[in-house]
Amino acid sequence: MSQNNSNVDIQAIEIKSTRHILGLSGGKDSAALAIYLKDQGRDEGMEYFFCDTGAELREVYEYLDRLEDYLDRPIERLSSGRDFDHHLRRFNGFLPAPHARWCTRVMKLEPLEAFVGSDPCVSYIGIRADENRNGYISHKPNIQAAYPFIDDGIVLSDVFRILKESVGVPEYYKWRSRSGCYFCFFQRKDEWLGLADSHPDLFEQAKRYEKVDPETGKRFTWIQGMSLDELESHRNEIEAKSLKREKREEKSWQEGILDDDSDDQACLICTL
C-alpha cells in the first residue's frame, strides 16, 4: 500500500497574504494619496515604491525625501539596474516617443512587476474623482487596482489642500505640469523652455541625445518635427501661445469646466 503524503503536501503549500503597495512618482496626486491614507489611518502594511530611471529632476528626489519623513516609512527605490544610456544603446539609439515608450516598459513597469512578483497585491492609484482617465493597470492577475480618491470624491483642489497642509507642493510645478524624466517627450514646448531656464545643464544634456541619421537624413528629436535648438529660436512665439493657453485654462476653471490638468496623455505610472 502506498503511503499517503497528503499531510506533507498540505504543509508545503504557502498561503501568501495580500500586499498593499502605493507607487510614488514625485507628482502631486500619488503624494497626496499617500498622505491622505496615512492621515486617515488606512496605511497599515502599506509598501511605498518609486521607479527610479536615474533621469528624474533633482526636485523629485528632494520631494521624495520629504515624503519619506512625513510617512515615517521607507520608500523602496526600484530600478532596472541599468541607466538610460545603456537602454538607449539596446534600442539602437532610437529615442523613446509616444508611439514607442520603451523607457516606461523597461525602466518603470518591469522593475515594478519584479518587485511584486507573484504575490497577491492591491495597487493604490491616485486618479482623482474629477478625472476621466485610467492609471497603470497591470495585466498580471495577481495585481488589483484601488482608487481611493475616486471612491471618496477627492478632486484637484483637495489634492492641493492635502499637500499644502503637509509636505507642500513639488517645486517643479512652477514651470512643469508633470513629474517624470527631465527629457520626457510628453513635455509641452513651454515646459522644455522651463527646463532650459531652471536646469540648463539638463537641457543641454537632452540636446546631446538628439541626432541625425547620416544615411537617411532622418532626425531623432524629443519633439516631433523640431529639435531643441529650433525650440529655443521660437521662444517668443511659444511663450505667447503658452500665456493664451493659461488664460483659457483659468477661465475654464472659473466657469466650473473641469479639465484634466495636462497629464491626460502621459505615461501615467510616471506622472501620478
Side-chain angles (χ1 to χ4, degrees):
M1 179 180 296
S2 61
Q3 184 177 358
N4 188 336
N5 293 323
S6 60
N7 290 336
V8 176
D9 294 339
I10 291 173
Q11 291 174 1
I13 294 175
E14 179 184 359
I15 300 176
K16 296 182 178 179
S17 60
T18 299
R19 293 169 62 186
H20 296 263
I21 66 171
L22 197 162
L24 296 161
S25 67
K28 64 185 186 306
D29 294 321
S30 61
L33 177 59
I35 293 165
Y36 178 72
L37 294 178
K38 175 180 173 56
D39 290 350
Q40 290 201 335
R42 295 162 61 184
D43 64 334
E44 184 176 356
M46 188 71 74
E47 299 176 56
Y48 302 102
F49 69 91
F50 169 66
C51 295
D52 191 358
T53 65
E56 314 292 331
L57 293 169
R58 289 190 285 273
E59 295 96 322
V60 170
Y61 296 115
E62 293 167 358
Y63 196 65
L64 288 171
D65 289 340
R66 286 157 58 189
L67 268 175
E68 203 165 42
D69 289 340
Y70 187 90
L71 298 172
D72 196 26
R73 197 169 298 172
I75 299 171
E76 186 79 18
R77 267 67 166 181
L78 308 183
S79 170
S80 67
R82 300 281 189 167
D83 62 14
F84 176 78
D85 289 348
H86 167 83
H87 294 296
L88 184 63
R89 289 191 294 272
R90 279 182 57 199
F91 288 90
N92 299 317
F94 288 97
L95 294 177
H99 61 279
R101 307 181 193 183
W102 60 256
C103 54
T104 303
R105 177 167 57 84
V106 303
M107 303 186 78
K108 296 275 187 176
L109 302 185
E110 290 178 3
L112 165 58
E113 294 189 344
F115 171 65
V116 173
S118 61
D119 297 340
C121 176
V122 177
S123 176
Y124 292 79
I125 300 172
I127 299 280
R128 305 187 311 270
D130 57 350
E131 295 181 280
N132 182 25
R133 59 181 178 138
N134 293 316
Y136 162 69
I137 300 176
S138 174
H139 295 296
K140 297 184 68 175
N142 58 305
I143 302 178
Q144 304 299 317
Y147 302 93
F149 280 170
I150 294 178
D151 295 340
D152 296 352
I154 300 298
V155 298
L156 182 61
S157 58
D158 297 316
V159 164
F160 280 112
R161 174 184 53 77
I162 291 167
L163 294 180
K164 289 175 181 177
E165 292 176 354
S166 54
V167 298
V169 179
E171 287 294 317
Y172 64 77
Y173 277 114
K174 293 177 181 177
W175 55 275
R176 207 181 197 217
S177 63
R178 56 175 57 88
S179 57
C181 299
Y182 69 86
F183 47 61
C184 181
F185 45 81
F186 278 120
Q187 290 181 96
R188 297 190 305 251
K189 292 176 182 177
D190 60 300
E191 293 176 333
W192 276 108
L193 293 176
L195 178 67
D197 295 338
S198 300
H199 296 287
D201 57 327
L202 297 180
F203 187 77
E204 291 301 317
Q205 178 61 42
K207 276 186 183 182
R208 288 192 281 272
Y209 284 119
E210 297 186 321
K211 66 178 183 178
V212 177
D213 188 318
E215 296 182 2
T216 64
K218 184 176 181 180
R219 303 197 308 170
F220 297 90
T221 58
W222 294 111
I223 304 170
Q224 186 174 6
M226 176 182 286
S227 70
L228 294 182
D229 280 325
E230 292 167 340
L231 174 89
E232 288 185 292
S233 68
H234 291 83
R235 175 182 281 270
N236 291 339
E237 175 187 348
I238 292 168
E239 289 180 340
K241 287 183 178 179
S242 175
L243 183 59
K244 288 181 180 179
R245 187 194 67 253
E246 289 174 1
K247 289 181 178 179
R248 287 197 306 270
E249 291 176 351
E250 183 179 0
K251 183 179 180 181
S252 295
W253 277 97
Q254 289 173 346
E255 293 175 353
I257 304 172
L258 300 181
D259 196 6
D260 289 351
D261 54 321
S262 306
D263 282 342
D264 56 334
Q265 63 176 347
C267 300
L268 289 170
I269 194 172
C270 303
T271 61
L272 282 173

